[in-house]
Structure formats: C-alpha cells, structure tokens
Amino acid sequence: MAVTSSSMLLRNFSTAGRVAQSVRVTSRIFFSTGELIRVLPYTRSSRSISSTRAAHNEEAAAKAAASVADTGAPTIFDKIIAKKIPSDIIYEDENVLAFRDINPQAPVHVLVIPKLRDGLTTLGNAEPRHVEVLGQLLHASKIVAEKEGILDGFRVVINNGVEACQSVYHLHLHVLGGRQMKWPPG
Ligand code: 5GP
C-alpha cells in the first residue's frame, strides 16, 4: 500500500471481502474497498462562488500552516487530546481519539487521530514503526462509521501537505458521510 501521497481517500461500497487497492492520481492517492478503481485526472469542476471561496480559505489555511509543518510544534489536536479544549468525542481508546470536526463538510464529519503523534505530522512521514497505529486509525474509522450509521457509504480522507490543503500537522483521518459524495473530489 503506497503511503507517499498528498491525499488518501477510502471509498466504501459496503461490499465485504474486497481487497483495498490504491492508485496514485496526481497529488492524491485513492484507496478503494470497491471493485471499481477510478483513475481520473485531478481536475477542478465548475463550482459555486461560495465553494470557490471556501477552497481559497482552505488553501490559505494550508499555506499558513505549512511554516510549522515539520517543526514538531504542538497543534490544536494536542489540546483536544489533553481535554484542555472541548470536543465532541465519538470514539476513544488507548491509542486513538475520534471527534467531530469543528467545520463539518458533511452531515457526518469526524476526525480520527493517533493520541501519540510520534512523528506522524503527515502520512508522508509514516515509517515501518507506524504500521500498527495506521491500522488502528483505519479500524477506528470503521467503528466511527458504524456508530454514526453510515457504514453503507462513507469516505476516509487524509490530506497530506499544502497541495492537499492539510492545515493541522498531526495525522488525522476525516470520516465523512451522511450525504451523496461526488467524484472526482475537488
Ligand atoms: P486538514 O485541513 O488538516 O486536513 O484538517 C484539519 C481539520 O481540523 C479541519 O477540517 C478543521 O475544521 C479541523 N479543526 C481545526 N481546529 C479544530 C478544533 O479546534 N476542533 C475541531 N473539532 N476540529 C478542528
């Protein structure tokens, strides 16, 4: 499984037993649990003014965050893990915390993070020692989807780096669902 992408998307087609596969598409990697792997160029479709503005905000936030990307500086997620600031926690175990995104992009939008960052500012920094926690994050994403009642259709997204609009440098999986998703993603 390649992990050197700028973005990862998991698409669930609620079909058991299919092997996850990955395909690199420009700056993003798409993982699919479905039989259909789409290899599409990363193109921008026409958007409404507001969604274009939101995209620009995301890009600005990502560029601003890039300056601290690999400094190892604490992030807002450290405070959430330490419960110094409140969050709406959906799932928690020894290694993983899942809480609702403050700026949801879908009816269900939950962030799944490792409690111990251990160098995982980005997925691109993953090393062999991280394999176990990466698996735990994916499994926790499935638990979140189950708890939120979206197991039949949900996405798991990892934004990696500025080009993918990563704004918090503590690895996190976005679990999105509760509405019809579009393809290709913007
Ligand atoms: P990224 O853009 O790095 O992929 O995702 C970071 C996510 O963290 C964003 O979707 C953003 O809304 C979310 N976020 C940033 N600050 C907070 C916060 O204080 N609380 C919560 N719950 N989510 C946050």
Side-chain angles (χ1 to χ4, degrees), residues 76-77 80 85 99-103 109 111 159 165-168 172 174:
I76 191 77
F77 292 171
I80 289 174
I85 63 171
F99 53 95
R100 288 194 202 286
D101 196 294
I102 203 167
N103 182 23
H109 187 171
L111 300 173
N159 296 322
C165 286
Q166 181 174 359
S167 62
V168 178
H172 49 283
H174 298 256

Side-chain angles (χ1 to χ4, degrees), residues 55-120:
H56 288 159
N57 289 343
E58 286 168 19
E59 287 169 30
K63 281 178 185 149
S67 59
V68 296
D70 271 325
T71 63
T75 74
I76 191 77
F77 292 171
D78 290 291
K79 290 185 177 162
I80 289 174
I81 292 165
K83 316 257 166 81
K84 286 183 179 159
I85 63 171
S87 66
D88 188 357
I89 294 173
I90 305 300
Y91 172 78
E92 180 173 14
D93 64 27
E94 197 185 335
N95 304 304
V96 172
L97 184 68
F99 53 95
R100 288 194 202 286
D101 196 294
I102 203 167
N103 182 23
Q105 302 301 313
V108 174
H109 187 171
V110 175
L111 300 173
V112 181
I113 68 173
K115 285 185 172 173
L116 183 64
R117 189 170 61 175
D118 185 27
L120 283 174

